[in-house]
Amino acid sequence: MLSKFYRTAEDMIRHHGGRVTPGRIGILAALLAEQQAITHREIEQRLPQSLPLDRVTLYRTLEWLVENGLIHKITSDDRVWRYNANLEPQSHQHAHFKCTGCAQVICLDSLPIEQNWPLPSGYRFQEIELTVKGLCANCC
Amino acid sequence: MLSKFYRTAEDMIRHHGGRVTPGRIGILAALLAEQQAITHREIEQRLPQSLPLDRVTLYRTLEWLVENGLIHKITSDDRVWRYNANLEPQSHQHAHFKCTGCAQVICLDSLPIEQNWPLPSGYRFQEIELTVKGLCANCC
DNA sequence: ATATAAATGCAACTATGTTGCACTCATTGT
DNA sequence: ACAATGAGTGCAACATAGTTGCATTTATAT
């Protein structure tokens, strides 16, 4: 079931030139299998028992995956990072949706972002972060 | 210097029907005096020594001020809440700017927010949260 | 002045994330 | 295949933001 995600994960890491370790594969596969952005905690729970992984290693691996553009992480109002696999590289410019009921977070691909924001004079634009809040289908 | 903010703060609290205490006045005055959104820590530092205030009391007072619409709090990617006085009630529908250099956060009033986001079917819109990141005039 | 509920202070706790250092193991070159 | 090497990992300890329970104080109404 998950094996195709494992293979994809391994390919992504190897193709990217990184060292291929069980931890990286397992974590990336878990994120690839997910339709939503999930937390450090949730990733931990989804990892197979055959792959015991230290909290710290998980944090560092996620950091590595982010830095190398294989996943991205999302800010939220509950002070917890959520992570999502980058299916297409450089696809980080999108909005996110967060359900105020169940705290589920998903990516919204269609983002009509205009880069020309009316900033005070002397300010320089870099990027935009946009979260739409509401209720998901289950919580409605 | 700050006395006018103290008076304004006291008026806002009293007019709102809340119990008028030195803590509430001092905290709200500190936020009114500020041109930017500041953290729990920064508020603590700005309070006069004549007003020693417990960390917990500060948290609870901020919570009360938020619930009563006198201030609002802002999510950020550094997992720290920032607070800003509401000059006009109900003025919370605006974007925020965060400087990636000095972490300064300000409110952007002119926000052409459209409420019609293309959400998946069955999802219900509630509100939008938007942060523009870049460099402020000092950090440019 | 007094009663009362709201606000405060203190101690202990939770949760997320970070740092330093020793040890392991994936990769590379022979 | 085998050894050398440095990237990756595990463990312990730490840092920070924020929360909870309960006793004490205080702003307000009577």
Side-chain angles (χ1 to χ4, degrees):
Chain A
M1 196 70 132
L2 288 179
S3 64
K4 75 165 177 177
F5 295 115
Y6 275 80
R7 251 171 314 185
T8 308
E10 185 171 342
D11 284 352
M12 287 172 70
I13 296 166
R14 193 182 304 281
H15 188 265
H16 189 273
R19 220 161 111 171
V20 180
T21 66
R24 287 184 178 172
I25 299 173
I27 293 169
L28 183 50
L31 290 175
L32 285 167
E34 207 63 42
Q35 297 302 314
Q36 49 174 313
I38 56 178
T39 64
H40 178 273
R41 260 297 162 79
E42 291 165 330
I43 297 170
E44 224 169 9
Q45 292 163 354
R46 279 160 180 72
L47 289 177
Q49 292 200 327
S50 57
L51 180 62
L53 211 57
D54 191 71
R55 272 168 19 89
V56 177
T57 302
L58 179 46
Y59 276 115
R60 288 198 269 231
T61 303
L62 288 170
E63 194 183 357
W64 183 89
L65 290 168
V66 169
E67 277 169 3
N68 287 273
L70 301 181
I71 65 176
H72 66 275
K73 63 176 181 177
I74 305 166
T75 287
S76 173
D77 52 10
D78 55 10
R79 312 185 344 111
V80 178
W81 291 107
R82 283 177 176 74
Y83 300 87
N84 206 65
N86 286 345
L87 297 181
E88 304 170 20
Q90 311 287 7
S91 68
H92 188 17
Q93 279 299 319
H94 56 248
H96 297 112
F97 173 88
K98 175 165 188 193
C99 177
T100 54
C102 64
Q104 178 200 79
V105 174
I106 62 172
C107 296
L108 300 174
D109 289 327
S110 52
L111 176 63
I113 280 183
E114 46 168 323
Q115 308 282 351
N116 291 335
W117 275 85
L119 296 179
S121 72
Y123 282 51
R124 191 184 306 166
F125 176 94
Q126 281 176 341
E127 64 171 323
I128 210 167
E129 218 168 65
L130 197 158
T131 302
V132 180
K133 296 207 226 165
L135 292 172
C136 74
N138 284 335
C139 294
C140 264
Chain B
M1 194 72 132
L2 287 181
S3 63
K4 76 166 175 175
F5 295 114
Y6 274 81
R7 250 170 317 184
T8 308
E10 185 171 342
D11 284 353
M12 285 172 72
I13 296 166
R14 194 182 302 281
H15 187 267
H16 189 274
R19 223 162 109 170
V20 181
T21 67
R24 288 185 178 171
I25 298 173
I27 293 169
L28 183 51
L31 290 175
L32 285 168
E34 207 63 42
Q35 297 300 313
Q36 48 174 313
I38 55 178
T39 64
H40 177 274
R41 259 298 162 80
E42 292 166 329
I43 297 171
E44 225 170 7
Q45 292 163 353
R46 279 162 180 70
L47 289 177
Q49 293 200 329
S50 55
L51 180 62
L53 210 57
D54 192 71
R55 274 171 14 92
V56 179
T57 303
L58 179 45
Y59 276 116
R60 287 197 269 233
T61 303
L62 288 169
E63 194 185 356
W64 184 88
L65 290 167
V66 168
E67 277 170 4
N68 288 272
L70 301 180
I71 66 175
H72 66 276
K73 63 177 182 177
I74 305 166
T75 287
S76 173
D77 51 11
D78 56 9
R79 313 184 344 110
V80 178
W81 291 106
R82 283 178 176 74
Y83 300 86
N84 205 65
N86 286 344
L87 297 181
E88 303 170 19
Q90 309 287 7
S91 67
H92 187 16
Q93 278 300 319
H94 55 249
H96 297 112
F97 173 88
K98 177 165 185 191
C99 176
T100 55
C102 64
Q104 177 200 80
V105 174
I106 61 171
C107 297
L108 300 174
D109 288 328
S110 53
L111 175 62
I113 281 184
E114 46 167 321
Q115 309 284 350
N116 291 335
W117 275 85
L119 296 180
S121 71
Y123 281 53
R124 191 185 304 167
F125 176 94
Q126 282 177 341
E127 63 171 324
I128 212 167
E129 219 167 64
L130 198 158
T131 302
V132 180
K133 296 206 227 167
L135 292 172
C136 74
N138 284 335
C139 293
C140 260

